[in-house]
């Protein structure tokens, strides 16, 4: 069963401002993440509460999200340049 994909407004604004080709790559990855969130993790970080955050690298960008398995949701927190 597919997860529900929720995206932070600031991450949405970043995505909307990217070149069309970068948007398409990130959209494709978001669909993959929505299907199988734990399959696309390049590395993990922790938030201030100790919750594991998944990071997937897509071209020049990093997508940071966490998987809420109980509610079957993927929460995209930010999209940044991968080198920052």
């Amino acid at each position: 069963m597919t997860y529900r994909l929720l995206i932070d407004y600031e991450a949405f604004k970043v995505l909307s401002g990217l070149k069309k080709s970068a948007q398409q790559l990130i959209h494709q990855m978001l669909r993959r993440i929505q299907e199988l969130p734990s399959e696309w993790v390049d590395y993990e970080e922790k938030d201030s509460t100790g919750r594991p955050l998944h990071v997937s690298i897509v071209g020049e960008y990093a997508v940071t999200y966490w998987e809420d398995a109980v509610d079957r949701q993927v929460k995209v927190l930010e999209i940044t340049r991968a080198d920052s």
Side-chain angles (χ1 to χ4, degrees):
M1 183 165 106
T2 302
Y3 281 62
R4 183 168 183 210
L5 183 72
L6 305 173
I7 186 166
D8 180 84
Y9 184 68
E10 292 301 317
F12 176 77
K13 285 189 345 185
V14 169
L15 180 60
S16 297
L18 299 178
K19 292 181 182 178
K20 193 74 163 171
S21 58
Q23 286 182 20
Q24 289 173 339
L25 284 174
I26 293 171
H27 277 261
Q28 290 171 357
M29 180 56 78
L30 291 174
R31 295 297 256 165
R32 291 181 189 128
I33 290 169
Q34 185 178 15
E35 292 293 323
L36 294 166
S38 58
E39 289 293 314
W40 305 101
V41 179
D42 288 305
Y43 64 93
E44 282 192 357
E45 298 176 341
K46 301 273 186 196
D47 70 6
S48 61
T49 66
R51 176 188 306 134
L53 302 177
H54 301 321
V55 180
S56 292
I57 304 301
V58 186
E60 299 176 12
Y61 296 92
V63 177
T64 303
Y65 62 96
W66 70 278
E67 177 183 351
D68 185 344
V70 174
D71 289 333
R72 303 239 358 123
Q73 297 176 345
V74 173
K75 299 173 182 178
V76 177
L77 304 175
E78 73 180 350
I79 298 171
T80 57
R81 301 253 333 156
D83 58 1
S84 52

